[in-house]
Amino acid sequence: MATTVITNISSLVTNDPSLGEGPLGTLQDAAVVIDGDRVVWVGTSSKAPATDNRVDAGGRAALPGFVDSHSHLVFAGDRTAEFNARMSGRSYSAGGIRTTVAATRAASDEALDANVRRYVREALRQGTTVLETKSGYGLTVEDEARALRIAAAHTDEVTYLGAHIVSPDYADDPAAYVDLVTGPMLDACAPHARWVDVFCEQGAFDGDQARTILTAGAARGLTPRVHANQLSYGPGVQLAVELGAASADHCTHLTDADVDALANGTTVATLLPGAEFSTRAQWPDARRLLDAGATVALSTDCNPGSSFTSSMPFCIALAVRDMGMTPDEAVWSATAGGAAALRRTDVGRIAPGARADLALLDAPSHVHLAYRPGVPLVSAVWRAGVREA
């Protein structure tokens, strides 16, 4: 296979401290050599080896492709009216998901697939090279299984979220719905997913129900993730850490015990600032988590109700402005942090042996992602060694 060198990179974030300065392993006047789908060499431009192809970065900055470890892309319908009402004073609750459930059930496979394809491409243009996405807007055996089949056509990081809310069909019998989620629905969905998730929250599933669902999924070979402590204090974070979940997502309302659990466990705290932006809710305190020693990821939570953005750069800017993160911490969390939340070591870094995922910025430094919020700075993207955008 042909080799390619990307040279004349003004500032390269490797996320490997052995390759450069500081926790981000930053190199100045850098070059990266790609062979097939892998990075095979990283260093200064003057020392770059000969290759078949050469790309001049023109003094642009480069960083690993963003790893968005939390999204909900298999959906149909529109919730503009709900957003408009919320911005006019109505509070957010989990119940709005039912609107999307109805639209998604009514949509064809082709329409759902086209929607996922659209948002994956949209994210890729903004530098996202790895993207997790979930079911959760079907809430029947057939609709959840088809959502996962459609998602799996676009990403390897597929999550079974039959426990998004209690299905409207079981509003009077939540226990029967939990039986469905852990029985026939799980049987149909497990072959198409890597992860199992549950929305552990008031208005969705309590701690006991969440434990039942996650342990059933784990018994079928799915690794837990948890929507935890978004709208209120609750058992989600503690349950995630106890069960060895890869990630506890949202983490907006945390006790000191929750923070300690995350700092001392293997579960990543995934923060989703797009949700707080779109619901005018309290911001997660990233500074508190980082100072305690927790591993923090940033993701978009792209969904039609509470965070309709696919932009990781936007989430980085929010995290720096409103969540106490430095630009370096936010970039790490949006790349290596997301990889940790997906238990991946092949992505989220630019180092020999890593998958060749990287983004060029029309800027001299990664700091511009927060410094110039809302500006489309990503000028080129490579995913698995292929120039995609």
Side-chain angles (χ1 to χ4, degrees):
M1 300 181 75
T3 56
T4 299
V5 62
I6 305 171
T7 189
N8 194 20
I9 299 169
S10 62
S11 177
L12 172 68
V13 172
T14 69
N15 284 337
D16 186 335
S18 72
L19 295 176
E21 297 180 0
L24 295 186
T26 305
L27 276 172
Q28 308 303 318
D29 187 22
V32 177
V33 175
I34 298 170
D35 187 353
D37 65 351
R38 297 286 150 175
V39 173
V40 295
W41 185 90
V42 175
T44 58
S45 289
S46 62
K47 297 179 180 178
T51 58
D52 301 310
N53 303 303
R54 182 178 184 274
V55 176
D56 188 337
R60 293 175 174 85
L63 71 163
F66 299 121
V67 180
D68 188 349
S69 61
H70 184 127
S71 76
H72 304 251
L73 301 184
V74 188
F75 70 88
D78 180 87
R79 285 161 69 181
T80 302
E82 176 189 325
F83 176 80
N84 191 38
R86 193 162 61 243
M87 293 301 102
S88 302
R90 193 176 79 190
S91 62
Y92 174 71
S93 69
I97 293 167
R98 295 178 181 85
T99 303
T100 302
V101 169
T104 303
R105 288 179 177 181
S108 67
D109 288 8
E110 292 75 18
L112 293 175
D113 184 78
N115 221 24
V116 176
R117 188 181 304 276
R118 170 188 175 187
Y119 294 116
V120 168
R121 292 295 304 177
E122 182 179 278
L124 183 63
R125 289 194 300 270
Q126 298 173 89
T128 297
T129 52
V130 178
L131 189 147
E132 178 271 1
T133 200
K134 310 174 192 295
S135 64
Y137 292 126
L139 310 186
T140 67
V141 172
E142 295 78 12
D143 285 306
E144 286 295 293
R146 75 163 178 155
L148 295 174
R149 287 195 301 270
I150 289 167
H154 300 278
T155 179
D156 294 332
E157 302 296 346
V158 178
T159 301
Y160 168 47
L161 183 60
H164 202 178
I165 58 169
V166 174
S167 169
D169 308 319
Y170 289 81
D172 297 327
D173 195 353
Y177 186 65
V178 172
D179 289 342
L180 181 72
V181 168
T182 57
M185 190 183 287
L186 177 61
D187 292 340
C189 290
H192 307 291
R194 181 184 178 199
W195 309 97
V196 59
D197 198 347
V198 61
F199 190 8
C200 184
E201 186 60 71
Q202 294 178 13
F205 297 89
D206 64 25
D208 290 340
Q209 293 168 327
R211 180 188 299 278
T212 298
I213 292 161
L214 294 171
T215 53
R220 292 296 303 272
L222 305 181
T223 303
R225 324 181 65 76
V226 184
H227 281 62
N229 300 53
Q230 176 188 4
L231 306 179
S232 60
Y233 294 98
V237 163
Q238 296 286 341
L239 182 62
V241 174
E242 176 193 336
L243 296 181
S247 182
D249 297 32
H250 289 289
C251 294
T252 307
H253 300 275
L254 300 179
T255 64
D256 289 345
D258 293 333
V259 174
D260 289 343
L262 289 164
N264 292 301
T266 60
T267 299
V268 174
T270 299
L271 308 183
L272 310 169
E276 279 70 40
F277 178 87
S278 295
T279 61
R280 287 181 174 161
Q282 171 186 321
W283 297 103
D285 190 346
R287 183 79 270 137
R288 182 184 178 199
L289 287 161
L290 290 165
D291 288 348
T295 301
V296 173
L298 285 177
S299 294
T300 64
D301 191 18
C302 186
N303 76 82
S306 61
S307 183
F308 203 8
T309 180
S310 58
S311 175
M312 290 289 277
F314 174 64
C315 292
I316 288 170
L318 292 180
V320 172
R321 169 62 178 80
D322 291 304
M323 290 162 49
M325 302 184 90
T326 67
D328 283 8
E329 289 167 340
V331 164
W332 190 94
S333 294
T335 52
L342 294 174
R343 295 189 172 167
R344 300 270 301 262
T345 59
D346 61 325
V347 296
R349 61 191 182 96
I350 299 175
R355 199 173 84 173
D357 291 1
L358 67 153
L360 284 184
L361 303 180
D362 194 12
S365 166
H366 63 276
V367 177
H368 281 236
L369 290 165
Y371 181 41
R372 303 198 67 207
V375 177
L377 293 179
V378 176
S379 62
V381 182
W382 281 260
R383 180 173 59 182
V386 176
R387 188 166 182 169
E388 298 275 9

